[in-house]
Amino acid sequence: MSPHSNVDASTAHPSGERIVEGTHLMHRSLKVEPAMVESAKGIELYLANGRTVIDACGGAAVAIIGHGNEEVSKAMIRQASKVSYVHTQSYTTPAAEDLANFMLEGSPHGLEKAFFVCSGSEAVESALKLARQYFFEKGETDRVHFVSRKQSYHGNTMGSLSVSSNLARKVPYQDFGYQHVSHVSPAYAYRYKHEEETMGDFTRRLLDELEKEFLAVGPSRVIAFLAETVGGATAGCVPPPPGYWRGVRALCDKYGILLILDEIMCGTGRCGSYFALEKEEITPDLVTVAKGLGGGYCSIAAVLAHKRVVDVLRQGTSSFNHGHTYQAHPISCATALSVQKILRRDNLVARCASMGELLEAKLRAELGACPSVGDIRGRGLFWAVEFVKDRQNKETFDPSIAFGIRVQQAAFEAGVAVYPGWTTVDGTKGDHILLAPPFTVTEEQLDVIVHVVKTAIAMQEKLYM
């Protein structure tokens, strides 16, 4: 069991304790007790047992400015003393208006409106509904289908889980979700590019497959293509091949299909640019953001809508037929605004890019020769290490070993928290770990992280190779 998984590996959990149920809190596992964190500061977590752990994954790529920032805490308290909650059917607040205006000043990439909710799953669910309403308002009511990618993850609510392809999370809910969904191959070169292909050939094959899927479904029935700009936790920090997103945008335009980019994990600076899409030179119709938006200080996420989508609603019903009790929550918005102001004022996105280059160099130098390391990939401070039993043929470890989780557990015991991944390749096999430290991480801390990870990998290699 890992702090970030529901997998019960046979090795000891980082807390070292099997659970004796004396709590009414339902944890992710009813068998293993998670480690108790009493406080956190910077990139360090302070556990109840007296240990200190470096948060090298930002929780789940969340803590972009680190933990325990007093400026953010004060902003939270100030808002709570003014107004803690209003219902958005009748009211708005300066906190919500200011956050939207700050994020979308100048309508970057044509994005004009922000719809704030409480989680990434809610943001994706909202984006799916907004995309459907866009075509409903246009009278194109036959459009009911979404195309997504294999080895993707977009959330845990039924709609967002339906468009996801994280097979393990879907096992109890087969035939229970939204049915008008299909999946195409991921832009995952290490596993899906043929040996004889160039990267350009791979891109062309992916685009050809996507167009064939549009045609098979019927272009007039497709609402949107939804994908993570840079692949997230399921396959592990997968950057797209050159030209992929420009080709996707062209196909969507050709058939009048919306493009929804999921930047819940890879956005808000994590990949070294505020939007990961900036390096792809494309304009999306809808973007979802979450983790780095509040930086872990509050529960907040957003759908960002392009003007062309908003204009259709303006010319139709003039409303979004969707809402939540806690949407645009004043305390969450004020807190997120403080995080975003720090991000911009302290040039932390640029720092993420430069520290990311350092992290990449250190990972390649220190882990590149490890027999179990098949691929090192990522962008900004968003990196994954994929493990293989055989580097020549890319054979995976037996899933029962849970190699990636064992690496995570060994690193945790040595004082570094990383994010483990399993079923990396196709939903049934493959292992990786993910590194996504706060943008405030220092070079010295990166050295510690990489050294501990290397040692943890070597320990598992001795046992399983």
Side-chain angles (χ1 to χ4, degrees):
M1 172 67 188
S2 137
H4 312 293
S5 80
N6 294 323
V7 175
D8 185 15
S10 59
T11 53
H13 182 265
S15 70
E17 298 290 338
R18 301 299 290 179
I19 204 162
V20 178
E21 291 198 43
T23 176
H24 292 290
L25 178 63
M26 179 173 279
H27 297 296
R28 294 193 179 206
S29 170
L30 298 177
K31 296 172 68 176
V32 184
E33 184 178 7
M36 180 69 75
V37 179
E38 290 198 335
S39 63
K41 188 72 175 179
I43 75 163
E44 293 182 332
L45 308 176
Y46 306 114
L47 308 188
N49 62 10
R51 294 182 57 221
T52 298
V53 176
I54 292 176
D55 187 5
C57 53
V62 173
I64 62 172
I65 66 169
H67 302 279
N69 187 291
E70 293 183 5
E71 185 176 341
V72 178
S73 300
K74 289 176 181 177
M76 192 184 307
I77 293 168
R78 278 197 305 272
Q79 183 60 46
S81 69
K82 292 178 180 178
V83 55
S84 59
Y85 171 76
V86 293
H87 194 280
T88 55
Q89 184 171 334
S90 301
Y91 308 103
T92 187
T93 61
E97 301 289 342
D98 290 348
L99 177 59
N101 291 337
F102 186 84
M103 292 180 66
L104 298 182
E105 182 181 3
S107 297
H109 313 288
L111 299 170
E112 186 184 80
K113 294 289 185 182
F115 183 80
F116 296 119
V117 288
C118 298
S119 72
S121 296
E122 286 184 12
V124 170
E125 201 86 16
S126 301
L128 299 178
K129 292 178 75 173
L130 181 54
R132 165 57 183 174
Q133 186 178 340
Y134 168 83
F135 285 112
F136 183 86
E137 301 270 4
K138 294 181 69 177
E140 298 181 42
T141 55
D142 288 339
R143 290 190 186 260
V144 295
H145 195 92
F146 292 95
V147 179
S148 184
R149 297 191 303 203
K150 298 172 185 176
Q151 291 307 96
S152 64
Y153 179 64
H154 300 290
N156 256 333
T157 53
M158 288 313 304
S160 61
L161 189 62
S162 297
V163 294
S164 301
S165 182
N166 187 307
L167 301 184
R169 292 178 182 263
K170 300 175 81 167
V171 169
Y173 312 112
Q174 296 297 328
D175 302 319
F176 191 58
Y178 188 69
Q179 300 300 308
H180 300 288
V181 177
S182 55
H183 298 87
V184 294
S185 297
Y188 177 4
Y190 180 68
R191 288 292 180 178
Y192 287 79
K193 185 177 80 68
H194 298 158
E195 189 174 347
E196 71 278 5
E197 285 182 318
T198 66
M199 201 63 82
D201 293 335
F202 179 51
T203 297
R204 284 186 288 273
R205 179 163 60 83
L206 291 173
L207 295 175
D208 183 56
E209 179 186 351
L210 180 59
E211 183 166 26
K212 286 178 180 176
E213 183 62 25
F214 286 166
L215 293 172
V217 173
S220 63
R221 294 187 65 244
V222 179
I223 293 175
F225 177 62
L226 165 67
E228 297 154 299
T229 313
V230 174
T234 298
C237 305
V238 183
Y244 173 77
W245 280 117
R246 289 192 297 277
V248 168
R249 177 75 267 183
L251 286 175
C252 289
D253 289 343
K254 180 178 179 179
Y255 296 110
I257 293 166
L258 294 181
L259 175 58
I260 304 174
L261 294 183
D262 181 339
E263 297 211 351
I264 285 165
M265 194 171 232
C266 66
T268 51
R270 175 57 64 185
C271 286
S273 55
Y274 189 75
F275 294 105
L277 63 90
E278 291 172 28
K279 297 191 177 181
E280 309 305 326
E281 300 176 349
I282 57 165
T283 300
D285 298 296
L286 298 170
V287 181
T288 57
V289 296
K291 297 179 185 294
L293 178 55
Y297 289 88
C298 58
S299 299
I300 190 167
V303 182
L304 309 178
H306 194 280
K307 182 179 185 298
R308 57 178 162 258
V309 174
V310 178
D311 280 346
V312 167
L313 270 63
R314 281 194 182 104
Q315 294 159 12
T317 59
S318 294
S319 66
F320 180 22
N321 192 20
H322 177 62
H324 290 273
T325 298
Y326 293 117
Q327 75 180 66
H329 191 278
I331 297 175
S332 294
C333 287
T335 304
L337 178 59
S338 180
V339 171
Q340 296 305 304
K341 284 183 174 179
I342 291 169
L343 190 70
R344 186 180 297 182
R345 182 196 68 205
D346 296 349
N347 296 315
L348 291 182
V349 175
R351 192 173 195 280
C352 174
S354 61
M355 296 305 289
E357 291 175 358
L358 272 177
L359 177 57
E360 176 184 9
K362 292 175 186 295
L363 288 172
R364 296 196 186 284
E366 296 298 318
L367 308 186
C370 294
S372 68
V373 173
D375 194 28
I376 298 169
R377 56 178 178 264
R379 186 186 289 177
L381 282 171
F382 193 48
W383 286 86
V385 179
E386 182 172 341
F387 301 111
V388 292
K389 186 176 181 180
D390 188 314
R391 291 176 63 156
Q392 291 299 113
N393 60 22
K394 303 181 184 179
E395 179 188 357
T396 63
F397 286 95
D398 186 316
S400 65
I401 292 173
F403 190 89
I405 292 174
R406 291 177 184 276
V407 170
Q408 175 267 325
Q409 290 173 342
F412 189 87
E413 290 302 323
V416 171
V418 300
Y419 193 107
W422 62 101
T423 70
T424 307
V425 177
D426 58 6
T428 64
K429 61 182 181 295
D431 300 273
H432 70 271
I433 57 168
L434 187 151
L435 299 171
F439 304 170
T440 54
V441 67
T442 65
E443 183 172 1
E444 292 74 21
Q445 289 166 331
L446 289 180
D447 286 334
V448 173
I449 291 166
V450 174
H451 172 73
V452 168
V453 167
K454 182 180 181 179
T455 302
I457 292 170
M459 289 172 61
Q460 308 316 308
E461 289 174 343
K462 288 180 180 178
L463 294 171
Y464 301 106
M465 293 189 75

